[in-house]
Amino acid sequence: MIREESLSEISDGRLYTENDMVRADTGNCAGCTQVCCRGMESSIVLDPYDVYRLTRRLQTTFDKLLDDKKIEINIVDGIMLPNMKMAPDTNACGFLGKDDRCLIHDARPGVCRLFPLGRYWENESSYKYILQKDQCHKPGLSKIKVKKWIDMHEGSAYEHFIVSWHKYLKRTEAAVRELAAECASEQTENTLEESRTQTSGSSMTPEQQIRVICLYTLKTFYAAGYKASDENDFFSEIEDRISKAYTDLGME
Ligand code: SF4
Ligand code: SF4
């Protein structure tokens, strides 16, 4: 989820690279009763790599995670994307164990890996890390190298994927915004002539095009699954899918 806020509003005001030290080490959250894995609503948005890791680790599918109500789909900046679902009875993530520990720690999503850090996008293809303000309430966090905290064992291939996926989302969001504006202006004018064109013309209405973009994104990048047997294969497979998506959706 992209937030348009100033750096000082959301962080300690500093931008970090992966080799910087940052006061983010929660010491495995030991002794903290807050447990940030509750009440997160739909904010733990999943990218395709998160779902790849999750489905591999649990030997399951995207559809099964939806059926089991572990994840759900919501609209994020105009696009349908999956997120971790909070259980209605406990308001906790479906992967939070009875002992308040994450049951899928080694395959937890990127948002959870980063927390309490976040990404700050300087432009479409470059980001730095921030220490999010008022997110972790445990006093006296220790300093740790950003790279170590976020467990970046995948190296530059992961960073490359993060940038490619961010660009894809930004472009699809822009396309959806344009189409939504067309919908609004058509509704305002709503002349008889336009109604005729919409119902008898061969091209899709803006609403239909938005739906195509959303369903294509969900199906291609999440529901279809990945053949990749390891992370490197995944990163190359998704690059191919992103390139193809630009062509298929006419966004080259
Ligand atoms: S407040 Fe900080 S230490 Fe406590 S659960 Fe959340 S991240 Fe962990
Ligand atoms: S995946 Fe794990 S770390 Fe992330 S919210 Fe759920 S229980 Fe917490």
Side-chain angles (χ1 to χ4, degrees):
M1 189 182 312
I2 311 294
R3 291 186 287 169
E4 304 282 348
E5 286 164 303
S6 76
L7 201 56
S8 58
E9 273 178 287
I10 56 169
S11 74
D12 65 355
R14 284 191 56 193
L15 293 174
Y16 299 87
T17 67
E18 67 266 21
N19 288 317
D20 287 329
M21 298 295 286
V22 62
R23 209 168 275 284
D25 187 353
T26 64
N28 232 357
C29 303
C32 180
T33 51
Q34 169 115 356
V35 187
C36 297
C37 312
R38 289 200 181 92
M40 297 304 283
E41 299 179 355
S42 56
S43 65
I44 306 178
V45 177
L46 304 171
D47 66 31
Y49 184 53
D50 293 332
V51 170
Y52 168 70
R53 278 164 42 99
L54 206 49
T55 51
R56 260 187 85 195
R57 160 78 158 72
L58 300 171
Q59 291 294 297
T60 189
T61 64
F62 178 74
D63 287 342
K64 183 83 170 55
L65 288 171
L66 280 173
D67 288 347
D68 291 347
K69 304 201 179 338
K70 297 290 189 193
I71 65 172
E72 63 184 352
I73 293 168
N74 278 296
I75 303 282
V76 183
D77 301 321
I79 307 286
M80 283 196 270
L81 293 174
N83 61 266
M84 285 306 203
K85 184 172 168 58
M86 299 296 121
D89 49 345
T90 59
N91 202 19
C93 170
F95 292 106
L96 186 65
K98 288 199 172 66
D99 57 355
D100 281 346
R101 312 299 298 173
C102 177
L103 297 171
I104 49 154
H105 185 76
D106 55 333
R108 68 200 185 288
V111 170
C112 307
R113 285 167 85 184
L114 276 175
F115 196 85
L117 300 182
R119 284 196 187 88
Y120 182 86
W121 289 90
E122 297 174 304
N123 54 51
E124 196 185 62
S125 53
S126 152
Y127 65 86
K128 294 255 176 13
Y129 297 95
I130 54 168
L131 178 59
Q132 298 186 78
K133 208 181 211 173
D134 302 327
Q135 294 295 311
C136 175
H137 300 287
K138 186 175 176 179
L141 300 190
S142 309
K143 279 195 167 183
I144 188 168
K145 199 174 254 196
V146 169
K147 198 175 189 167
K148 187 166 181 209
W149 178 249
I150 62 178
D151 190 15
M152 255 183 58
H153 59 277
E154 305 94 339
S156 59
Y158 179 61
E159 285 179 58
H160 186 78
F161 156 72
I162 290 291
V163 170
S164 291
W165 182 242
H166 177 73
K167 273 189 196 168
Y168 175 77
L169 287 182
K170 294 306 282 179
R171 288 181 193 177
T172 47
E173 284 161 20
V176 164
R177 260 198 313 277
E178 249 176 60
L179 289 163
E182 272 182 52
C183 296
S185 81
E186 279 181 16
Q187 274 162 15
T188 309
E189 291 168 18
N190 200 21
T191 61
L192 187 58
E193 188 55 39
E194 280 170 336
S195 303
R196 265 195 223 109
T197 310
Q198 281 183 13
T199 50
S200 64
S202 58
S203 62
M204 285 187 285
T205 64
E207 288 101 325
Q208 287 168 332
Q209 289 177 64
I210 291 172
R211 195 168 163 73
V212 165
I213 291 174
C214 286
L215 293 179
Y216 182 100
T217 300
L218 265 186
K219 189 174 168 202
T220 306
F221 296 107
Y222 294 96
Y226 290 85
K227 290 193 203 95
S229 57
D230 63 26
E231 288 156 355
N232 286 332
D233 281 353
F234 168 84
F235 293 128
S236 106
E237 205 177 325
I238 193 152
E239 278 307 316
D240 292 346
R241 288 194 199 186
I242 291 174
S243 303
K244 185 170 182 304
Y246 286 133
T247 310
D248 291 348
L249 297 174
M251 296 195 303
E252 285 168 299

Short mmCIF file of all heavy atoms in Angstrom, two decimals, residues 26 29 32 34-36 115 135-138, ligand 1:
data_model
loop_
_atom_site.label_atom_id
_atom_site.label_comp_id
_atom_site.label_asym_id
_atom_site.label_seq_id
_atom_site.Cartn_x
_atom_site.Cartn_y
_atom_site.Cartn_z
N THR A 26 13.86 -5.70 17.47
CA THR A 26 12.89 -5.87 18.56
C THR A 26 13.28 -7.02 19.49
O THR A 26 12.50 -7.36 20.38
CB THR A 26 11.48 -6.16 17.98
OG1 THR A 26 11.54 -7.41 17.30
CG2 THR A 26 11.02 -5.08 17.05
N CYS A 29 10.81 -9.70 19.62
CA CYS A 29 9.57 -9.26 20.28
C CYS A 29 9.42 -9.86 21.69
O CYS A 29 8.31 -9.86 22.25
CB CYS A 29 8.32 -9.59 19.44
SG CYS A 29 8.37 -8.87 17.80
N CYS A 32 7.22 -8.52 24.91
CA CYS A 32 6.25 -7.51 24.48
C CYS A 32 4.86 -8.12 24.40
O CYS A 32 4.70 -9.20 23.84
CB CYS A 32 6.65 -6.93 23.12
SG CYS A 32 5.49 -5.68 22.56
N GLN A 34 2.27 -6.46 23.11
CA GLN A 34 1.48 -5.75 22.09
C GLN A 34 1.01 -6.68 20.96
O GLN A 34 -0.12 -6.67 20.55
CB GLN A 34 2.33 -4.62 21.51
CG GLN A 34 1.73 -3.99 20.29
CD GLN A 34 1.36 -2.54 20.54
OE1 GLN A 34 1.49 -2.02 21.64
NE2 GLN A 34 0.87 -1.89 19.51
N VAL A 35 1.91 -7.49 20.46
CA VAL A 35 1.69 -8.39 19.34
C VAL A 35 1.05 -7.67 18.15
O VAL A 35 -0.17 -7.57 18.03
CB VAL A 35 0.88 -9.64 19.72
CG1 VAL A 35 0.84 -10.60 18.53
CG2 VAL A 35 1.52 -10.34 20.90
N CYS A 36 1.92 -7.21 17.29
CA CYS A 36 1.47 -6.43 16.13
C CYS A 36 0.72 -7.26 15.09
O CYS A 36 0.28 -6.72 14.09
CB CYS A 36 2.67 -5.77 15.48
SG CYS A 36 3.45 -4.62 16.59
N PHE A 115 8.87 -4.95 9.13
CA PHE A 115 8.33 -4.24 10.29
C PHE A 115 9.34 -4.18 11.44
O PHE A 115 9.91 -5.21 11.77
CB PHE A 115 7.04 -4.93 10.76
CG PHE A 115 6.22 -4.10 11.67
CD1 PHE A 115 5.32 -3.17 11.20
CD2 PHE A 115 6.36 -4.24 13.05
CE1 PHE A 115 4.58 -2.39 12.07
CE2 PHE A 115 5.62 -3.48 13.92
CZ PHE A 115 4.73 -2.56 13.43
N GLN A 135 5.15 2.69 15.48
CA GLN A 135 4.68 1.36 15.08
C GLN A 135 5.07 0.32 16.13
O GLN A 135 4.25 -0.43 16.59
CB GLN A 135 5.25 1.00 13.71
CG GLN A 135 4.73 1.88 12.58
CD GLN A 135 3.25 1.73 12.34
OE1 GLN A 135 2.74 0.61 12.23
NE2 GLN A 135 2.53 2.83 12.29
N CYS A 136 6.35 0.32 16.48
CA CYS A 136 6.79 -0.60 17.54
C CYS A 136 6.90 0.19 18.83
O CYS A 136 7.59 1.21 18.89
CB CYS A 136 8.14 -1.22 17.18
SG CYS A 136 8.75 -2.24 18.53
N HIS A 137 6.18 -0.28 19.87
CA HIS A 137 6.15 0.47 21.13
C HIS A 137 7.09 -0.11 22.18
O HIS A 137 7.09 0.35 23.32
CB HIS A 137 4.71 0.52 21.66
CG HIS A 137 3.79 1.20 20.69
ND1 HIS A 137 3.80 2.56 20.49
CD2 HIS A 137 2.88 0.71 19.82
CE1 HIS A 137 2.92 2.88 19.55
NE2 HIS A 137 2.35 1.77 19.13
N LYS A 138 7.86 -1.10 21.80
CA LYS A 138 8.80 -1.68 22.78
C LYS A 138 9.94 -0.68 23.02
O LYS A 138 10.55 -0.21 22.05
CB LYS A 138 9.34 -2.99 22.23
CG LYS A 138 10.21 -3.74 23.22
CD LYS A 138 10.62 -5.09 22.66
CE LYS A 138 11.57 -5.78 23.63
NZ LYS A 138 11.97 -7.10 23.15
S1 SF4 B 1 5.35 -3.63 19.40
FE1 SF4 B 1 7.40 -4.13 18.59
S2 SF4 B 1 8.20 -5.67 19.99
FE2 SF4 B 1 5.99 -5.55 20.33
S3 SF4 B 1 5.12 -7.15 18.97
FE3 SF4 B 1 5.12 -5.23 17.83
S4 SF4 B 1 7.05 -5.24 16.68
FE4 SF4 B 1 7.23 -6.76 18.31
#
